[in-house]
Amino acid sequence: MEALASPAPSSSPCPWIPCSASSAIRAESETAAHLREHWEERRRQWPALRNCGWQNCQSRATFKSPGSLKSHIFNIHVTPLVCTHPQCTYAKPFGKQYELDRHINTIHLASHNHQCPVQSCEAHTTGFARKDKLLNHIREQHDNLRCPYNHCFATVLETQVESHLRLFHGSFECALGACSASGASCFLEEDLQRHLRKHHNLTYDPSLSVTKASRHTEDNTARPSHVITCRTWQDCPVCSTAQSASSTMQDKGGN
């Protein structure tokens, strides 16, 4: 009875560039030993050569240790550490294993519960695993604008301006210092108190007192006369900086 022939060992060319034997076919175990020889030769150049040096490598990093250089060369060039998840469109290799693991966990395994608010957008159904990815998507793919009111730094979709103003703005104003010469803020009552504490450096009790006093004015506006329990308060850095920049631009325009 004839003995069955053993299957031929798997083989692959050397991925190290340049390598005089790169076209030779070798067994997997031989390839691993061959790559170790390449790395030992490369390591002997340390620390004189601390960058990658790989042909067409776009990295300009100066590596701090032989280990970090080795991880870069092997994970990016020799045996690229890429995502193999089905339908993944990210083709670039990852420099470290934890970066690939984080990509898989956040993009492919995590629940995509950050949906795009535009109902006609595909991302309204597929969603994003991370909020920052959703915000980047909105900025890049949809028309949006900054809230028109002073002290509000929200960026909202053009179709959601009305709901933003209804939910996050009210009838309260601040007229302390530079705020008195700035545009309308339309604070909610609690946001006015928060503004007084953050931008005018009032502590909790004085800010609450000023907010309550503004409630009894015809225009719901906080004024310097309301600051009776605090001798000093700082000017609003947001408004003072904006007014200073505007004055500088006007001076340049007049010259």
Side-chain angles (χ1 to χ4, degrees), residues 146 149-153 168-169 172-204 206-208 210-211 214 220-224 227 233-243:
R146 179 177 169 178
Y149 287 127
N150 193 24
H151 299 105
C152 183
F153 306 99
F168 298 101
H169 290 281
F172 286 80
E173 297 292 344
C174 176
L176 299 184
C179 290
S180 62
S182 299
S185 297
C186 292
F187 291 116
L188 294 174
E189 184 173 353
E190 59 269 26
D191 289 331
L192 172 60
Q193 184 182 359
R194 188 178 296 112
H195 163 75
L196 294 171
R197 297 178 64 186
K198 179 179 180 180
H199 293 134
H200 292 289
N201 203 32
L202 297 182
T203 57
Y204 181 83
S207 66
L208 179 60
V210 173
T211 302
S214 67
N220 290 342
T221 299
R223 293 182 169 83
V227 188
W233 45 267
Q234 72 175 19
D235 204 352
C236 173
V238 174
C239 294
S240 58
T241 300
Q243 291 174 18

Side-chain angles (χ1 to χ4, degrees), residues 84-174:
T84 58
H85 194 278
Q87 299 180 344
C88 181
T89 58
Y90 191 85
K92 295 181 180 180
F94 293 87
K96 297 178 178 61
Q97 181 64 48
Y98 81 84
E99 294 176 346
L100 173 59
D101 293 340
R102 182 179 61 183
H103 165 83
I104 293 175
N105 289 332
T106 58
I107 302 301
H108 303 302
L109 299 183
S111 58
H112 290 201
N113 55 356
H114 298 287
Q115 284 84 17
C116 176
V118 179
Q119 295 185 1
S120 59
C121 179
E122 181 182 357
H124 179 71
T125 302
T126 58
F128 297 88
R130 289 161 44 184
K131 185 176 181 179
D132 61 315
K133 296 296 183 182
L134 169 61
L135 296 177
N136 287 337
H137 163 80
I138 291 175
R139 283 192 293 266
E140 295 173 1
Q141 301 297 327
H142 300 293
D143 293 331
N144 56 80
L145 49 85
R146 179 177 169 178
C147 175
Y149 287 127
N150 193 24
H151 299 105
C152 183
F153 306 99
T155 300
V156 295
L157 291 172
E158 188 173 4
T159 57
Q160 294 185 326
V161 172
E162 183 179 349
S163 62
H164 168 79
L165 299 181
R166 184 176 65 253
L167 294 174
F168 298 101
H169 290 281
S171 60
F172 286 80
E173 297 292 344
C174 176

